[in-house]
Amino acid sequence: MSNNTFSCLKKFKIGNKIANFYSLPALGEALGVDISRLPISIRIVLESVLRNCDGKKVTEEHVRQLANWKPNAKRESEVPFVVSRVVLQDFTGVPLLVDIAAMRSVAQKEGKDPKRIEPMVPVDLVVDHSVMIDYFGTKTALGQNMKLEFHRNQERYKFLKWGMQAFDTFGVVPPGFGIVHQVNLEHLARGVHHDTLNNIYYPDTLVGTDSHTTMINGIGVVGWGVGGIEAEAGMLGQPLYILTPDVVGVELTGELRGGVTATDLVLTITELLRKEKVVGKFIEYCGSGTSSLSVTDRATIGNMSPEYGATMGLFPVDDRTIEYFKGTGRTDSEIEAFKAYFKAQGMFGVPKVKNIDYTKVVTLDLSTVTPSLAGPKRPQDRIELGDAKKTFTRLFSEQSANGFNQPHARLSETFTTRGGLKIKNGDIVIAAITSCTNTSNPSVMLAAGLMAKKAVEAGLKVPKLVKTSMAPGSRVVTEYLVKTGLLPYLEKLGFNVAAYGCTTCIGNSGDLTADVNEAIAQNNLVCAAVLSGNRNFEARIHPNIKANFLASPPLVLAYALAGTMQRDLMTEPVGKGTKGDVWLGDIWPSNAEVQALLGTALDPNVFRSNYSQIKSNPGRLWKDIEGVSGDVYNWPTSTYIAEPPFFAGFGMTPPPIPAVHNARALAIFGNSVTTDHISPAGAIKESSPAGVWLKAHGVEKQDFNSYGSRRGNHDVMMRGTFANVRIKNLMIPPDADGSRFEGGETLYQPTGERMSIFDAAMKYIEADTPCVIFGGEEYGTGSSRDWAAKGTQLLGVRAVIARSYERIHRSNLVGMGVLPLQFKGNDTTDSLGITGEETYDISGLENGVKAQQDVTLTIHHKDGTSQEVPLLLRIDTSTEVDYYEHGGILPYVLRELLAA
């Protein structure tokens, strides 16, 4: 039965029909608050709080607090946000399903009905993270890569099929349909939901187990990425508790100039907002320039919210949103309800900045945006196209966080691979048109196709050294590239469709040839990848490629043709064609040429036909997968899926909080340590602890697959924690030239012995010695992956102590019962002289835990002296305190469900 808190359940018209909704204007009247001045993002969250007010988890006080949101108030209150649905991808979704299956096993052991563990909102998992670019540059590459994907992942896919029959609200979009965020944008999102029992309409809201869930912000949907453990809580009926956020208005003015893409714009916004320090804040786009952007441009900008640090980047619902819904095949009745609802709430249209009370307003004139790349190691490091060559040249010999510390003279050295290919520093060895960030946008995909046509006609070719691939986020992309006649030109340059999945953007780039790998490694070459993705962290794209650049699809193609970062595409020719030098301007398509073809990209019949096949024709490979049946999983022996240890010794009463006394440092890290560094997703090295374990369990090297695909098995994942080949543990002394060792090693302090971080952690656990991790700024930046926190916990780490945290990873640490602690003032590991040789005590929690309280780190030095350092406890809300005291979110939720 629906509630009627503050008498706000009102009626509105959808055409000739009457329906119910929780009216925010009525709430404003009841509370004496001008709701229309609240940011739209706050209003949408407020509607959820109002609608779900049950007097227990969500109270009238929560409604009042959020309705009285002030732009610059101190953020102390928490918001219980109940989402409409949850989306998953398979790398994060499979371990989530493993956890929920384990909960059912516990319920059965406790003599309770396993069906108590059931998602309470719709959950959709899109399989997009498993396919790799093993085959490329041929018409058969797509089919070959899919066959290999199914061969490698049969055990995982069987488990997913078990989940489909075991849980009533759990659906799977099989491999080969596209990338979760593009499928969500084009198909899963329906604008508004309808509670048919009570005839109540309410807005679509969600969380997803991928940080780029924010792509959905482009159509006015409030949603963001969370870790799997937080998503599990949301699925099982827990509100997501967030601190009341600041909301930064980004006022866009003017219009983009000809030849400037949405990719250039999002890289500019990422650079701008990183400088504005918007971590943990809501971003809301407004102003006349926002109205000029297409929905797919908006989706590109929303997608990269994690890269600029925001929780989300919301675009309002307006006529452009309605046009997009029509073009992508939503039904007339859905579209009518969508528009009527947002008009009834007073939330339709792009607001003027003067009409909304934002915490802060940042302005960007779209006409100032220029063609750009970002790299070579971070997405916020934007480089104007005309500066790309000189930036690479400078960074090649620069000793800095972004530099490569190589002698300048080596730039011109040329080597020959065993296969006879010439290779030198700056050469591009991967060029990938990939990622939902850009392949969801027809304007940049058509621009790439038009450029390919002009390049082929001019006689340009891609050098043999470059591994080329195209992996659209939706099969619809291929449809319109075929319809416009552009796909054959892309194929002639090696950009055949190789997959419908994340591929190179997440490190599933497939390997380079053995001779190219060998030449890069033996000669310590700084070679490059150029991709139309959203992340370019060290070792993410390929372990041997040190320089990685993000760019629009047409620029990816241009650099593939050039073959090197040592060419200035603004002042030097792209290459030589049949009639001599060919310049970028000769092959870059005009806006008019792109606009003439855009009509082919939004055909509602194509979208409906494509997505209807999820159920009617999912493909023979998927149909041939047979899953086990039953409500409780039987946990057959597998190196992919294993019952996790998180509920070992589970009891209905939480155990006491363990003291952190005489702890050792497992590792000390610098700034910007990403979740990729902490828990890599890519290839498993044969000599690594995970590789050794797999071989000991009968898995051959060619069948290792990736860390991401094995996230359902804790034995692999805990061995992979901190195993990234580019991670730098500052406990390891520098080399004579000042350079730092890269790789997951540490010093086991009792003996000073150097070993893998995993092996040291096991020794500390055996000796009952707690561990801590030290970090710098932006600890845990990047992907939402919960295994970065799960692995940390399984290695016996009780606390992480850093200068600052990225939002999702901090939350995940709390969710796994690991203390996130933050240095105060100007304190750092350097300023405090921390080397890892000390022992550590953490005090201040003995008499109970309070959100954001002060605690004390006592450092015991080798010389017998001690030092006390104040720290801030980054358990931010009272609900997070409850989670921590229960040992994490999962035990907390399980105890609540079994006690019901």
Side-chain angles (χ1 to χ4, degrees), residues 87 181 184 206-217 223-225:
V87 294
H181 310 306
N184 194 19
L206 70 145
V207 289
T209 58
D210 188 283
S211 50
H212 296 105
T213 299
T214 50
M215 187 167 183
I216 206 66
N217 301 158
W224 56 81

Side-chain angles (χ1 to χ4, degrees), residues 783-815:
S783 300
S784 67
R785 64 192 59 159
D786 54 341
W787 261 109
K790 286 179 174 177
T792 298
Q793 187 239 47
L794 290 179
L795 294 187
V797 174
R798 301 276 180 80
V800 176
I801 305 168
R803 285 280 302 158
S804 66
Y805 291 89
E806 206 75 345
R807 175 184 63 86
I808 298 176
H809 186 61
R810 183 208 63 80
S811 175
N812 282 343
L813 288 171
V814 177

Side-chain angles (χ1 to χ4, degrees), residues 373 385-397 404 406-415 423-429 525-528 530 547 549 558-574:
L373 301 87
L385 180 58
D387 293 333
K389 176 183 176 179
K390 63 184 179 186
T391 300
F392 178 82
T393 301
R394 173 176 57 80
L395 291 174
F396 181 77
S397 54
F404 299 106
Q406 299 283 330
H408 183 76
R410 293 199 65 230
L411 259 178
S412 57
E413 287 182 349
T414 300
F415 303 88
I423 187 169
K424 63 182 183 302
N425 287 295
D427 278 356
I428 293 163
V429 291
L525 295 178
V526 181
C527 290
V530 183
F549 295 92
Y559 271 102
L561 292 164
T564 179
M565 295 305 301
Q566 292 199 59
R567 186 171 300 166
D568 183 350
L569 298 189
M570 299 295 280
T571 62
E572 298 177 66
V574 174

Side-chain angles (χ1 to χ4, degrees), residues 20 239 272 276-277 286 463 468 698 708 730 837:
N20 300 316
L272 173 68
E276 292 288 340
K277 299 189 181 301
C286 54
T468 52
L730 303 182
E837 296 175 304

Side-chain angles (χ1 to χ4, degrees), residues 450-460 489 577-579 587:
L450 286 164
M451 177 186 277
K453 183 174 186 291
K454 294 185 179 192
V456 169
E457 290 170 348
L460 290 176
Y489 295 101
T578 51
K579 296 181 180 178
I587 56 176

Side-chain angles (χ1 to χ4, degrees), residues 718-777:
M718 63 192 289
R719 286 166 172 80
T721 304
F722 301 114
N724 187 298
V725 297
R726 292 281 176 262
I727 199 167
K728 296 176 183 177
N729 181 1
L730 303 182
M731 285 170 62
I732 307 274
D735 294 335
D737 63 358
S739 60
R740 289 280 182 181
F741 171 79
E742 295 182 332
E745 293 189 4
T746 193
L747 298 178
Y748 178 63
Q749 288 302 335
T751 64
E753 187 182 354
R754 187 162 160 175
M755 61 182 67
S756 73
I757 288 176
F758 171 78
D759 288 338
M762 293 304 100
K763 282 179 171 287
Y764 285 128
I765 288 173
E766 188 178 359
D768 200 24
T769 301
C771 287
V772 297
I773 293 284
F774 288 99
E777 300 278 1

Side-chain angles (χ1 to χ4, degrees), residues 57 100-118 236 238 647 650-653 886 890-900:
K57 291 178 181 174
I100 295 181
M103 286 185 179
R104 281 200 168 177
S105 295
V106 173
Q108 187 179 57
K109 290 170 189 171
E110 294 283 321
K112 306 285 187 178
D113 180 7
K115 291 289 278 183
R116 287 192 186 189
I117 316 299
E118 180 74 44
L236 296 172
Q238 294 293 312
F647 303 105
F650 177 84
M652 292 301 288
T653 303
H886 277 257
L890 303 184
Y892 174 88
V893 172
L894 184 55
R895 288 186 181 105
E896 188 174 83
L897 291 172
L898 296 185

Side-chain angles (χ1 to χ4, degrees), residues 608-624:
R608 290 190 195 114
S609 172
N610 177 58
Y611 287 113
S612 68
Q613 293 178 58
I614 291 171
K615 291 184 178 177
S616 67
N617 184 26
R620 182 183 57 79
L621 291 170
W622 182 252
K623 284 181 178 178
D624 288 346

